Amino acid sequence: MKPIQLISPVDGSVWLERTPLSQDAAFAAAARAKAAQKGWAARPLDERIALVKAGVAKLMEIKETLVEELAWQMGRPTRFGGEWGGVNDRTNYMADIAAETLAPKVVEDSDRFTRYLAREAVGVVFIIAPWNYPYLTTINTLAPALIAGNSVILKHASQTLKVGERLAEAFHAAGVPEDVFQNVVLDHATTEALIGARAFNFINFTGSVGGGAAIEKAAAGTFTGTGLELGGKDPGYVRADADLDAAVDSLMDGAMYNAGQCCCGIERIYVHESLYDAFVEKAVAWVNALKLGNPFDAASTLGPMANKRFAAVVRAQIAEAVAAGAKPLIDPANFPADDGGAYLAPQILVNVDHSMRVMMEESFGPVVGIMKVSGDDEAIRLMNDSPYGLTCSIWTADPEAAAQIGAQIETGTVFMNRCDYLDPALCWTGCKDTGRGGSLSYLGFHSVTRPKSYHLKKVTK
């Protein structure tokens, strides 16, 4: 079979190459996962929790190496470290709530009946993980799936093939059986064949709308559960009473961090007319202070995009917007590392509107459009004028107003005075083309378990 190549955005070299499994080998892996699952689920919950936490601890032992590998694979500057705070926080939170969430809910326990609702592992969970936050996005489902008693098969993005291998190595070294957690390399055809044959009991996918549609099509008629996070075009809204400096700092970081390659990154900003000019001026200064460069350079605050084809999409959106009347405020000459390939200068656009792709389609890069609004009603209308609904960020001194505005936004998460963040106690979810399902919080366990009812009659008369 044709090897899958990982092209490093750092220098364009082939950094890693792996041959995908044949269809026979892939089906054999799925069969092993199914066979191993019952024994894993029979282990005490505390034991499964301990092994999952030990797997994460093993990962932490080599975190400096993993940070360097991430830079090679997807371009994140090493100065930012890794994703370890989030990996630990999410694992620990899901571990802490597992006993209560998974415990049977007793309806009656009398001398006549015992009736209760239990949560049972679904079986084999298939994770198709993305490259932008490759450890965090995997752990969101991996930790609760294993804790709940499922076996897991992980297929990582071709851009971060090494991440899947590192996760498997760490968890196996900690004592999680190899058949209970398997990392595999698959091509699209074999992936679709496995899904169509009902080799899995739940599929978690983070990626494009097209990818999510392909998974739904492959799963049609199998009744396999799916959790699909398919992207976003997340808005920020700066009200007249906002803390201007805080709004600029957080929203621009939300737009530019990780070269804008965040599912919940800020991609469009609406600013009340009374603050608009000051906001734009401060935002331009903020972005001009960034340094685009090699991710191994300690001075670099912005690395390359993960692949030159991703950067090409952003360049095309910017060029189309400018041709249609948008005004770019960042001079690319301030970012000489822009090579026309994966290294892309950041950009702020004004004079934008919703006829432009850059304001409607996911950019997933270091560009943001800023529009002036007259007030809440206009901001709400524009924030909802999107095919996506992952998060929104409202900047105001009034929590009641933020809640009222949030109630009118078609979104999965409403933030006030923050953005680009996941709280493990809250469900990570979305609507519209962002997909369906949810991870983290107690609901994250519901995705990887199914309800099972017990009605035990103790008497026969």
Side-chain angles (χ1 to χ4, degrees):
M1 298 181 73
K2 183 180 179 182
I4 294 175
Q5 292 185 330
L6 192 171
I7 307 298
S8 173
V10 176
D11 59 8
S13 65
V14 177
W15 191 77
L16 196 70
E17 185 174 278
R18 295 288 184 264
T19 301
L21 294 179
S22 67
Q23 202 162 112
D24 286 346
F27 272 88
R32 292 195 303 274
K34 182 177 181 179
Q37 186 267 326
K38 294 294 186 185
W40 174 251
R43 296 194 186 197
L45 175 61
D46 286 348
E47 183 179 324
R48 297 197 302 268
I49 289 172
L51 287 169
V52 168
K53 294 176 79 169
V56 171
K58 283 289 183 184
L59 206 63
M60 296 304 107
E61 292 176 5
I62 56 167
K63 59 185 180 181
E64 289 80 9
T65 298
L66 302 183
V67 167
E68 293 184 3
E69 291 178 353
L70 281 175
W72 281 112
Q73 291 174 92
M74 47 76 68
R76 185 184 303 136
T78 55
R79 65 178 287 152
F80 296 120
E83 303 165 11
W84 319 130
V87 167
N88 282 304
D89 289 348
R90 296 177 196 184
T91 301
N92 290 336
Y93 182 81
M94 298 307 285
D96 289 345
I97 67 168
E100 179 181 358
T101 304
L102 298 173
K105 308 301 180 186
V106 179
V107 177
E108 179 182 357
D109 188 14
S110 68
D111 57 350
R112 292 178 55 80
F113 293 95
T114 296
R115 297 182 293 135
Y116 60 93
L117 281 164
R119 304 289 320 179
E120 185 171 276
V122 294
V124 181
V125 171
F126 185 38
I127 302 174
I128 306 175
W131 50 263
N132 62 321
Y133 284 91
Y135 287 99
L136 279 172
T137 51
T138 303
I139 214 71
N140 288 350
T141 303
L142 177 62
L146 289 175
I147 287 171
N150 299 281
S151 56
V152 174
I153 292 182
L154 169 64
K155 174 191 179 297
H156 226 297
S158 59
Q159 197 67 47
T160 40
L161 287 171
K162 191 65 177 176
V163 172
E165 295 176 0
R166 288 299 195 185
L167 282 162
E169 289 168 3
F171 277 67
H172 296 161
V176 175
E178 292 187 6
D179 288 345
V180 167
F181 174 34
Q182 300 177 60
N183 174 67
V184 297
V185 179
L186 303 173
D187 61 20
H188 291 315
T190 300
T191 300
E192 291 176 2
L194 287 164
I195 293 172
R198 197 152 61 181
F200 312 112
N201 304 102
F202 180 74
I203 302 162
N204 178 263
F205 171 77
T206 305
S208 68
V209 174
I215 287 168
E216 284 201 328
K217 183 177 179 181
T222 68
F223 311 115
T224 302
T226 57
L228 308 171
E229 186 198 325
L230 308 178
K233 192 73 183 173
D234 289 7
Y237 171 37
V238 182
R239 297 184 82 232
D241 64 344
D243 180 328
L244 182 62
D245 289 334
V248 169
D249 189 54
S250 291
L251 288 173
M252 298 317 297
D253 183 66
M256 300 296 163
Y257 184 76
N258 208 38
Q261 299 167 131
C262 303
C263 298
C264 56
I266 296 296
E267 297 211 357
R268 50 197 175 107
I269 301 174
Y270 306 100
V271 184
H272 189 271
E273 56 193 6
S274 64
L275 295 180
Y276 177 81
D277 290 339
F279 183 94
V280 170
E281 181 181 356
K282 289 175 179 288
V284 168
W286 195 100
V287 170
N288 275 325
L290 294 171
K291 184 180 186 326
L292 174 66
N294 187 297
F296 294 99
D297 182 345
S300 296
T301 53
L302 193 66
M305 292 190 67
N307 192 292
K308 64 182 182 182
R309 72 178 185 274
F310 305 151
V313 171
V314 181
R315 286 191 173 91
Q317 287 187 356
I318 293 171
E320 289 173 18
V322 171
K327 181 180 179 182
L329 300 183
I330 304 299
D331 184 353
N334 294 339
F335 297 88
D338 187 328
D339 63 353
Y343 290 83
L344 171 64
Q347 189 55 268
I348 295 173
L349 297 172
V350 293
N351 297 344
V352 290
D353 59 51
H354 282 208
S355 70
M356 301 172 181
R357 278 205 303 153
V358 77
M359 294 299 286
M360 295 298 289
E361 295 184 12
E362 187 171 38
S363 301
F364 221 62
V367 59
V368 66
I370 306 177
M371 291 177 65
K372 182 188 300 184
V373 294
S374 58
D376 294 347
D377 289 345
E378 185 178 13
I380 290 167
R381 177 178 62 80
L382 289 169
M383 284 191 280
N384 281 337
D385 183 28
S386 171
Y388 298 103
L390 184 56
T391 80
C392 70
S393 176
I394 302 166
W395 288 80
T396 178
D398 187 343
E400 184 175 331
Q404 291 174 349
I405 293 167
Q408 300 175 69
I409 304 301
E410 298 158 354
T411 190
T413 296
V414 176
F415 290 115
M416 172 182 162
N417 297 340
R418 82 178 313 172
C419 62
D420 194 22
Y421 175 78
L422 271 75
D423 180 344
L426 299 177
C427 185
W428 191 242
T429 187
C431 59
K432 301 192 284 190
D433 279 358
T434 290
R436 67 181 184 193
S439 60
L440 300 176
S441 79
Y442 74 91
L443 293 173
F445 277 115
H446 288 193
S447 297
V448 294
T449 59
R450 65 181 182 88
K452 192 171 187 177
S453 297
Y454 288 80
H455 190 126
L456 309 179
K457 185 180 180 185
K458 301 175 182 178
V459 296
T460 57
K461 294 182 182 180

